[in-house]
Amino acid sequence: FGLDYGTAGLIGSVAGFASVLLTLPTTFIAAKLNPKYSIPVVLFVLGGGLIIFGVAQSVPMLFVGKILAAAVANGIASALVIVKIRQVPPEKNTGIQGIQNFVEPIGQVLATLCMAQLLIILGGWRNIHIICGVVILAMIVVWIVSYRDDISVAPEAAAPAAGGSQKGVMKEALKQKSFWLLAIGWPGT
């Protein structure tokens, strides 16, 4: 594209801005929907954004692809919380969280370590985005075919507390010191 450094930086950072602006709205929406449907919607927009970025023929399309992918990427975390609430017995929740918190950083480190090799093997950034987008879209089919609500965990466990609303939960979280410590500390990691 022959981009100057400023434009390249804007394209790279637009995902962060979109994520900051849209994380709460997409999280609230994803948390209200059944994960059987919310996760495929998130994956569709995420995969579509990656493919648009990979096939972009203009700078505006680069922005569109990045914004679409970033707009929903955090919504999947909320949907997965609902899956865990519905399908993981409370006594096993700590173990499941531990496994997830162990595996996620390993995946991030491996992806970072392998990126140079992937760029060479796959022929550049376009193909990486296209292949990742296609794999994510294929995961929609796998999710829809394999997802089952587990009725062994009481459905009322997945329901919000009586009288509790999304706004009420957020207000309560904002009152907690640990919430603020985590929010401030997370960017430092």
Side-chain angles (χ1 to χ4, degrees):
F1 287 100
L3 302 174
D4 59 67
Y5 290 125
T7 305
L10 285 173
I11 292 168
S13 64
V14 74
F17 288 119
S19 180
V20 166
L21 292 174
L22 298 170
T23 291
L24 286 177
T26 57
T27 298
F28 289 152
I29 292 168
K32 286 183 179 240
L33 301 174
N34 184 331
K36 180 170 184 161
Y37 306 108
S38 63
I39 289 179
V41 168
V42 168
L43 293 177
F44 180 77
V45 176
L46 177 61
L50 290 173
I51 292 170
I52 288 170
F53 189 82
V55 300
Q57 296 300 312
S58 66
V59 173
M61 290 310 294
L62 291 172
F63 279 105
V64 167
K66 278 287 189 185
I67 290 169
L68 282 174
V72 298
N74 291 324
I76 199 162
S78 298
L80 289 174
V81 168
I82 302 299
V83 170
K84 286 187 255 183
I85 289 170
R86 288 183 179 176
Q87 297 189 7
V88 177
E91 65 274 5
K92 293 185 179 180
N93 194 21
T94 303
I96 296 295
Q97 293 293 92
I99 292 168
Q100 181 179 349
N101 290 333
F102 175 75
V103 171
E104 283 177 357
I106 290 174
Q108 291 171 348
V109 168
L110 288 175
T112 303
L113 290 174
C114 297
M115 190 50 66
Q117 294 83 354
L118 286 173
L119 283 165
I120 293 167
I121 292 168
L122 298 176
W125 63 270
R126 287 183 180 275
N127 291 335
I128 288 175
H129 281 84
I130 293 167
I131 290 169
C132 286
V134 168
V135 169
I136 289 170
L137 293 178
M139 292 289 88
I140 294 171
V141 175
V142 173
W143 179 263
I144 290 171
V145 169
S146 64
Y147 181 83
R148 301 284 181 268
D149 273 324
D150 185 356
I151 57 172
S152 65
V153 179
E156 57 272 4
S165 69
Q166 296 277 339
K167 290 179 186 176
V169 170
M170 181 56 76
K171 284 181 184 177
E172 188 60 36
L174 291 173
K175 293 178 185 176
Q176 304 294 323
K177 289 179 184 176
S178 57
F179 177 85
W180 285 101
L181 288 171
L182 288 170
I184 292 167
W186 181 252
T189 63

